Structure formats: structure tokens, C-alpha cells
Amino acid sequence: DLERSAMALRSPRALACALLCLPASIAWHGSGVRPRLPSTSLASAPLALRPALHTRAAPARLAAAAAVPEPEPQRSGWRARLPPANELRKIVPLAIMFFCILFNYTILRDTKDVLVVTAPGSSAEAIPFLKTWVNLPGAVGFTVLYSALANRMAPQALFYTVLSTFLAFFGAFGWLIYPLVSAGLLHPVAFASKLAAALPAGFAAPIAVCQNWTYSLFYLLANMWGSVVVSLLFWGFANEVTTVSEAKKYYPLFGMFANVALVFSGQFVRYVSKLHTSLPAGVDGWGVALKLLMSAVVASGGVIMAAFRYLNVAVLKEADGSDGAPSPSGKLAPKKKKKPSMSIGESARHLASSAYIRSLATLVICYGMAINLVEVTWKSKLKQAFPDPSAYSAFMGSFSSATGVATLAMMLFGRFVFRKWGWGTAAMITPAVLLGTGVAFFALCLTGNTFAPLLSTVGLTPLMLAVFVGAAQNIVSKAAKYSLFDPCKEM
């Protein structure tokens, strides 16, 4: 049953079942994507039905090469503490890819919120509508398209095609689409104003989504960067080219590396967003910042492609030889028996029959709903405090860096919790933190004016206090999720 569950979860035909839960669980962020150890069931799936992202016979060749390793020269001193050279040539490019992917993810996550929340006629209340009526259909549509492409394209070509499509859009958005929007083109402002006057106030969110349709499209693709590029492309490729022993040694370091990327990218967003203070009068500071941010995304994407090509051309082919070449032992690795694939309906029924998987799904969905309730209210307060997009973006950059630092600290604390109290206590910490901080935030929002005279003595307003408390709530909740909730879920 466990083996069939793993096969059901990894089949691209069943990927829609997992992506359908994306809007509910989209609260996880770049560093929250947990590393998954490679599984033999993935390698045994038919090629056309799995996201294999390297040369066709690489899993078997790597297994054969791992079975008969070449003797390593004896090392002494500080060199003895370093990984073997053949592992470094593989792990370092993977780490560079992971850093750049999550560097981009933080930039895109912060930018999409700035665009949607501060757009004319829009607000934070548009985010739930976007997640339900834009992200969900988009995830299903991508699943169908990806499955079709996977059956027609070589794995490496599929990787380059998907990644270059994302990069082309983000580059065009900063340098072409946003300037056209700023010039009064592309967005149907007059038509949206007529709809807003004719329809009840409850239609404000869908009208804002349609009016700012380019921002909505950016929001969709920025969200899909996390699920597609991080989970599908990177971890699919990493699981294919690393052995289980390598994964056990280096995947935890990737988790630490993810939070370092979060800190660096947050500071970069903050720095770029504050450049408007040095620009001449009349220059759109946010437009300049957006060009720099999207240029950084494209440049980082180029590094990802270069590292991916290096791994496939200089590392994997050198280790494996050409297709069909024998392993160092002189024998081809035995082919594993192929197992029948499962359709989307069969996968859904099989997963639904497992009480264990149903409980995990309930945990993830409930966390996503709870964090979204708090986030929407907090981002509404954030727009009131920082109506200018550049100021909003600078605050989000600082917020992302603080989240990375807090997560690094919580990861160290999480190891102590797992050792001393075990899985149950570790799994309960995140819901308890979310409940306690959420209650404190909403209580402050409801009764903040009561403390206005006291707050004025320290130079604060109820609005700014709500912004800071909401930020602290989000930082602590996400740090607990990334360091405790996600490992518990993966276990």
C-alpha cells in the first residue's frame, strides 16, 4: 500500500490531484518546500509518465556506478572533512540551482503581493478570490499541458522550455507590460468602473482581478514558480541524480541553504525598493525597482540553466558514458520491472482510502486556511500603512529576511524538540503558535483604538502596532511551519 501510494503521488497523471490542493496550502514559501528522498518507485515508473529531467538511462547507470565506486585517494587534515570530489561536482551545482530558484521565489512572492494589494481599485481582499478562481484553474491547466509536453519532449528540453517560459514572462513584465500599464494601456479601467457602479459591493474583488488582469497573471505565475520550478523541476531532477546516501547527507543542508537565500533575497528586495529616494522627481520609482527585480530574476534563471546544463553535460555524462554504455564494472545495471501506472481517478480513490493520507491532507488544508485568514487581514492593514508600492515592497523585503533568520533558529530548536519529545509534540507546536498569535492579532485589530492614547506616548498608532504584531505573527508561524510542521508532514 505504501508503495502504491508513493507511485500515485509521483505519477504526472495524478499531479492534478496534488495541485488541486495548491490554493489551500499555498501559504508555504520557498524555504518551506521540504526535500524528498529519492525513491526507487519513481525510477520504475514509465518514462513518459514521470518527470525524469536528465538523460534517459541515468538512474540505472548511476546505480551501477554507485555499486562499484572508484577508489578515492587518501586525504588528511582539513581536506578529509570535505565531501569526495565526485560528490562535490554534483552537489555544488545543485546547491547553486536551489539558491537561485529560492532567491527568485522570494522576489516573486513579495512582488506579487505588492502588485495586487496596491493596484488601483484592488485590496488584500482580492487575494482569496485569486487563489480560488485563478490559481486553481491555472494549476489544473498547467497539469494537463505539462503531461502533454512530457509525452512529446525530451526531459532536458522540457526543463528548458518550462523554465524559459517563466523567465520570458517575468522579464517582459518588468520591461514591457508594466510600462504599458503605467501609460494607461492594457487595463480596462473605464469598463471596470462601470461594473463597479452597477454591481453590489461584494463584486469588488472579482472586478479588481479583471481590471488588473496583468497583475493577476503575474500573481498566478509567481505562485506556480514555487510548485512547478521548486517542487517539480528541481526536486524531481535532484531525486533522479542523487543516491539515497547522498540525499541523507546533503538534503538537510539544502534546507538551511533555502533560508539563507530567503535572507539574501529579502535584503535585495529592500535595497532595490528604496532606490526611489535617490531618483529625480517625476520618475516612477516603483517602475525602476520592478525592472531591476525582474532583471535579477532573469539573470538568476540563467544561472539555473547553466548549472543544469553543467550537471547534464560535464558531470552526469562523464560519470555514465553515452547512452547504453556499461558501468565501471563492465556490466549494465539490471532493468527494474515496470509497474502499471494509475489514472487520476484511480490515484484519487487510492489516496482517499488511506486514513493516514486523509489526516495529512486535513493538516495541510487547515493550516493553509488559518494562515490565509490572518494574512489577508494583515496585508489589508499593511496597505493602509504603506500605500506606496515601493514602501510596501521594502517592508516585505525586511519581512522575508526576518522570516529566514527566524526559520534558521527554529530549525535548530526543532532538532531538540524531535529528540526530546518526539513527533506528537513537534506536530502540535505549529497549530498552537498559529492559534495564540492569531488570537492576539485579531484582538488587537478589534480593540486597537482603546490603546491609542497609550501608544501615542511611544510614537506608535494602533495601525502600525497591528502591522508589527501581524508581521511577528506571520514570521513566527511560518518559521514554526518550515522547521516543525513540514518535517512532521514528510515523516
Side-chain angles (χ1 to χ4, degrees):
D1 287 343
L2 289 175
E3 189 172 308
R4 294 192 66 198
S5 299
M7 181 178 67
L9 286 169
R10 284 177 167 83
S11 172
R13 287 186 175 178
L15 186 59
C17 298
L19 289 179
L20 288 177
C21 297
L22 178 62
S25 60
I26 200 65
W28 58 260
H29 296 283
S31 61
V33 181
R34 304 304 304 174
R36 297 169 294 178
L37 294 179
S39 170
T40 55
S41 62
L42 180 63
S44 64
L47 174 66
L49 303 181
R50 62 183 176 90
L53 298 173
H54 59 83
T55 51
R56 182 174 55 205
R61 296 196 306 273
L62 287 177
V68 187
E70 294 183 0
E72 288 283 341
Q74 294 294 328
R75 298 179 297 173
S76 59
W78 61 271
R79 292 185 178 182
R81 300 181 181 181
L82 294 177
N86 62 323
E87 292 184 2
L88 278 178
R89 295 187 66 198
K90 184 192 304 181
I91 297 304
V92 171
L94 282 175
I96 293 174
M97 288 178 63
F98 196 44
F99 181 92
C100 291
I101 288 171
L102 294 180
F103 181 86
N104 283 358
Y105 180 73
T106 304
I107 294 176
L108 296 173
R109 182 192 63 191
D110 293 346
T111 304
K112 69 180 175 63
D113 286 339
V114 175
L115 290 171
V116 170
V117 175
T118 63
S122 184
S123 63
E125 286 74 18
I127 293 178
F129 188 89
L130 277 168
K131 290 185 176 181
T132 304
W133 300 105
V134 176
N135 286 1
L136 179 58
V140 175
F142 174 82
T143 301
V144 175
L145 178 62
Y146 183 85
S147 298
L149 291 176
N151 290 330
R152 291 170 174 81
M153 299 179 68
Q156 292 185 37
L158 180 62
F159 184 97
Y160 291 128
T161 300
V162 173
L163 186 59
S164 60
T165 301
F166 278 97
L167 298 178
F169 172 80
F170 293 132
F173 187 90
W175 289 91
L176 179 63
I177 296 176
Y178 184 81
L180 291 176
V181 172
S182 299
L185 305 174
L186 298 183
H187 286 181
V189 179
F191 177 69
S193 299
K194 292 180 181 178
L195 287 179
L199 296 175
F203 285 87
I207 291 174
V209 170
C210 295
Q211 174 183 335
N212 303 290
W213 66 271
T214 61
Y215 299 169
S216 301
L217 182 59
F218 185 97
Y219 191 95
L220 169 64
L221 293 180
N223 266 331
M224 290 183 66
W225 179 273
S227 58
V228 174
V229 180
V230 179
S231 298
L232 184 60
L233 297 187
F234 175 78
W235 284 119
F237 177 64
N239 287 344
E240 291 284 346
V241 302
T242 55
T243 63
V244 174
S245 61
E246 291 171 343
K248 289 179 179 179
K249 286 190 292 183
Y250 300 117
Y251 277 15
L253 297 179
F254 282 4
M256 302 290 288
F257 212 49
N259 292 289
V260 174
L262 194 63
V263 175
F264 274 87
S265 55
Q267 289 302 302
F268 177 76
V269 170
R270 181 173 177 269
Y271 170 77
V272 171
S273 300
K274 288 190 172 183
L275 289 179
H276 71 281
T277 57
S278 60
L279 296 175
V283 177
D284 183 5
W286 173 237
V288 173
L290 194 59
K291 288 180 180 179
L292 294 175
L293 290 172
M294 294 303 103
S295 297
V297 168
V298 174
S300 183
V303 175
I304 296 169
M305 289 186 175
F308 178 76
R309 178 167 177 78
Y310 172 79
L311 277 167
N312 280 280
V313 173
V315 177
L316 298 181
K317 283 190 177 180
E318 181 178 322
D320 309 333
S322 58
D323 286 345
S327 67
S329 64
K331 299 180 180 180
L332 289 172
K335 292 184 178 180
K336 296 178 181 179
K337 182 180 178 182
K338 292 185 177 181
K339 300 178 181 179
S341 61
M342 302 175 70
S343 66
I344 292 178
E346 292 172 340
S347 299
R349 286 192 295 271
H350 182 73
L351 296 177
S353 65
S354 170
Y356 191 80
I357 295 177
R358 289 199 306 268
S359 299
L360 287 177
T362 303
L363 284 172
V364 174
I365 292 173
C366 289
Y367 173 86
M369 293 175 63
I371 196 65
N372 280 327
L373 287 173
V374 179
E375 272 195 337
V376 169
T377 307
W378 174 60
K379 289 175 181 176
S380 178
K381 298 289 185 182
L382 196 57
K383 180 183 179 180
Q384 298 176 36
F386 302 101
D388 179 66
S390 296
Y392 192 111
S393 179
F395 182 89
M396 290 301 296
S398 300
F399 167 79
S400 296
S401 295
T403 303
V405 173
T407 304
L408 284 170
M410 285 291 291
M411 289 179 73
L412 299 176
F413 173 70
R415 297 183 64 182
F416 171 76
V417 171
F418 279 113
R419 285 199 307 265
K420 186 170 180 63
W421 292 295
W423 188 93
T425 301
M428 287 297 297
I429 288 178
T430 301
V433 168
L434 185 58
L435 176 63
T437 56
V439 168
F441 172 71
F442 282 115
L444 181 63
C445 291
L446 294 173
T447 63
N449 291 332
T450 306
F451 306 101
L454 179 62
L455 293 175
S456 62
T457 61
V458 293
L460 278 177
T461 63
L463 175 61
M464 289 306 300
L465 181 61
V467 167
F468 292 142
V469 172
Q473 190 277 335
N474 272 264
I475 290 170
V476 175
S477 297
K478 287 180 170 58
K481 177 185 184 292
Y482 300 154
S483 59
L484 295 170
F485 186 84
D486 286 345
C488 288
K489 179 185 66 177
E490 295 298 331
M491 289 177 184

